[in-house]
Amino acid sequence: MKKLFIAALVFALGGTNILHAQNLPDQKETLNTLIKVNKYYMKNNPDCTLPSFVKGKMRASNIWTRTVYYEGLLALYSIYPDTEYYKYAYQWGDFHKWGMWRGTTTRHADNYACGQVYIDMYNLCPKPEILLNVKSNLNMLVNTPQINEWWWIDAIQMGMPGFAKMGKLTGEQKYFDKMWQMYEYTRNQHGEHGMFNQKDGLWWRDQDFDPPYKEPNGEDCYWSRGNGWVYAALVRVLDEIPANEVHRQDYINDFLTMSKAIKACQREDGFWNVSLHDPNHFGGKELTGTSLFVYGMAWGIRNGLLDRDEYLPIVLKAWNAMVKDAVHPDGFLGYVQGTGKEPKDGQPVTYDSKPDFDDFGTGCFLLAGSEIYKLK
């Protein structure tokens, strides 16, 4: 009887937290997995300045795919500050003179996505030249009237966090205002309906997928990685903007709505399909969307926006599945859908398939794992 009483008392005073802690992956194991995956990438890309030759074109190394890798690398650096990671990121930015693909007058979010990494590097090493081009580019976007340029939802992740980071760095409201205007247009006005279907809690990738477009099973087309980009962007913005920013609650509301919808779409094995509402349209495990959902949910749990009891099992099921089923012994990542905009693109997606770009999938995985590591 005494033992039962003590056990009940322990549970009442904090047993729930003990149970949660027991369910979490071992931090050392998580870190070792991240180090292994990143080591594989760096070993196979020793010169970070080299362009990629993909689909018959030479692609500069500061395009969006490489940016996502460096987002993940700096997330890993935040928990494991290996000097080689810093040098690898600094060399990349310095080679490009901390500039955008196609210059400071580019208006395409894929081209200026690298700016968000430059700002992070500036925060680590505050040299004025690191900020010069990204600030010029963002000021051009702020000071011109266009708000309809994030017409594909991937652009929300490529573009929006840079505005949030610059607003935090400078304390100037204009960056927060502009990113809201552009986000709100894509959300509510682009195409026939806006890109966010609040009823389903998910985003159409662009107006090509607006109703009456349907998946083979008759459902709307919600592409996993596209929704993952938006989900990650909301996290990266909420991580930067102040508590009293006028639209903070709007971003939180969308994050919560998406979280509920994403949770409902998880596969039995822990992954998410490329098509969230049609599991048979190029069905199967997919790592990048899954990684971005884990990244967002783990962040939401850690920051008190998502109920731990409800969402931790979802996150752990997904993370454990990724580590078990997608990470090769040498650190190569399987089940990565290549570039595209819908379920049929970048196929086949298998354990051994190699995507057209080898960088962004690694970045998504490092973002997810770094947040898993931070869970307590």
Side-chain angles (χ1 to χ4, degrees):
M1 177 66 78
K2 185 177 180 181
K3 289 182 178 179
L4 289 174
F5 174 77
I6 293 173
L9 183 62
V10 168
F11 186 84
L13 293 177
T16 303
N17 291 332
I18 292 172
L19 290 175
H20 286 324
Q22 290 173 342
N23 288 333
L24 292 174
D26 181 80
Q27 277 191 317
K28 289 182 179 179
E29 290 181 10
T30 297
L31 181 59
N32 286 339
T33 299
L34 296 174
I35 291 171
K36 178 173 69 173
V37 168
N38 186 63
K39 183 178 180 180
Y40 178 88
Y41 177 80
M42 289 180 64
K43 180 180 178 180
N44 285 274
N45 296 273
D47 187 346
C48 62
T49 70
L50 291 179
S52 303
F53 187 74
V54 179
K55 296 181 179 178
K57 292 183 180 181
M58 198 65 74
R59 321 274 178 158
S61 66
N62 61 343
I63 62 171
W64 71 268
T65 65
R66 195 65 55 87
T67 292
V68 174
Y69 165 71
Y70 280 106
E71 291 175 34
L73 181 65
L74 291 185
L76 175 57
Y77 182 78
S78 74
I79 61 173
Y80 186 71
D82 188 321
T83 304
E84 290 305 308
Y85 301 165
Y86 174 84
K87 289 179 179 177
Y88 195 64
Y90 189 92
Q91 182 187 6
W92 170 72
D94 191 55
F95 172 79
H96 292 290
K97 297 181 172 58
W98 308 101
M100 288 72 233
W101 171 234
R102 295 181 175 165
T104 56
T105 59
T106 185
R107 306 192 68 91
H108 198 289
D110 284 354
N111 299 338
Y112 61 80
C114 55
Q116 59 185 285
V117 176
Y118 297 162
I119 297 170
D120 287 342
M121 288 301 295
Y122 176 84
N123 287 329
L124 293 172
C125 178
K127 294 182 178 180
E129 61 267 27
I130 296 177
L131 274 192
L132 180 64
N133 290 313
V134 62
K135 195 168 186 179
S136 294
N137 177 249
L138 288 175
N139 284 343
M140 180 273 296
L141 295 168
V142 165
N143 294 327
T144 49
Q146 294 93 324
I147 59 172
N148 62 349
E149 293 172 329
W150 294 345
W151 53 265
W152 73 112
I153 60 172
D154 316 31
I156 294 173
Q157 146 65 7
M158 305 306 156
M160 194 159 73
F163 287 85
K165 289 173 182 289
M166 186 62 77
K168 179 180 180 180
L169 181 64
T170 64
E172 295 184 68
Q173 182 66 30
K174 64 181 182 180
Y175 299 107
F176 300 148
D177 292 343
K178 186 69 175 191
M179 77 172 181
W180 168 256
Q181 292 166 11
M182 296 179 77
Y183 175 79
E184 190 277 335
Y185 185 91
T186 303
R187 183 189 191 278
N188 298 333
Q189 301 180 59
H190 180 64
E192 294 294 322
H193 314 276
M195 291 298 100
F196 187 44
N197 184 349
Q198 295 184 62
K199 175 178 172 288
D200 287 345
L202 297 168
W203 297 66
W204 297 292
R205 195 270 178 177
D206 58 56
Q207 68 181 57
D208 290 345
F209 299 96
D210 270 10
Y213 185 96
K214 297 292 181 184
E215 290 284 75
N217 69 349
E219 293 282 338
D220 283 9
C221 180
Y222 299 118
W223 182 40
S224 178
R225 189 165 69 234
N227 277 273
W229 290 136
V230 178
Y231 200 54
L234 290 170
V235 163
R236 293 174 69 76
V237 165
L238 289 167
D239 230 8
E240 303 290 341
I241 60 176
N244 63 349
E245 209 288 315
V246 63
H247 292 293
R248 183 177 181 84
Q249 191 59 49
D250 295 310
Y251 297 129
I252 289 174
N253 291 343
D254 286 353
F255 175 77
L256 296 177
T257 299
M258 288 191 72
S259 296
K260 183 178 179 180
I262 292 164
K263 173 178 174 284
C265 297
Q266 188 178 33
R267 292 161 51 99
E268 283 298 317
D269 61 15
F271 284 82
W272 278 266
N273 294 297
V274 291
S275 181
L276 294 177
H277 277 194
D278 189 345
N280 297 315
H281 190 206
F282 295 94
K285 304 169 185 177
E286 201 287 307
L287 188 75
T288 60
T290 299
S291 294
L292 294 167
F293 297 151
V294 168
Y295 170 57
M297 283 189 187
W299 182 92
I301 293 167
R302 191 168 63 83
N303 286 274
L305 292 181
L306 297 179
D307 180 77
R308 187 182 180 102
D309 291 334
E310 181 179 356
Y311 283 92
L312 186 63
I314 304 299
V315 168
L316 296 183
K317 186 177 183 180
W319 175 251
N320 291 333
M322 289 196 294
V323 172
K324 175 178 175 290
D325 296 344
V327 181
H328 286 227
D330 63 357
F332 174 80
L333 294 173
Y335 298 108
V336 173
Q337 184 185 21
T339 56
K341 67 175 186 177
E342 59 180 306
K344 71 178 179 61
D345 293 332
Q347 296 287 345
V349 177
T350 67
Y351 178 73
D352 293 312
S353 63
K354 295 184 178 181
D356 46 4
F357 289 87
D358 64 350
D359 43 15
F360 69 90
T362 301
C364 292
F365 185 83
L366 295 178
L367 286 171
S370 297
E371 279 299 320
I372 292 290
Y373 179 89
K374 294 174 185 176
L375 285 174
K376 303 290 186 183

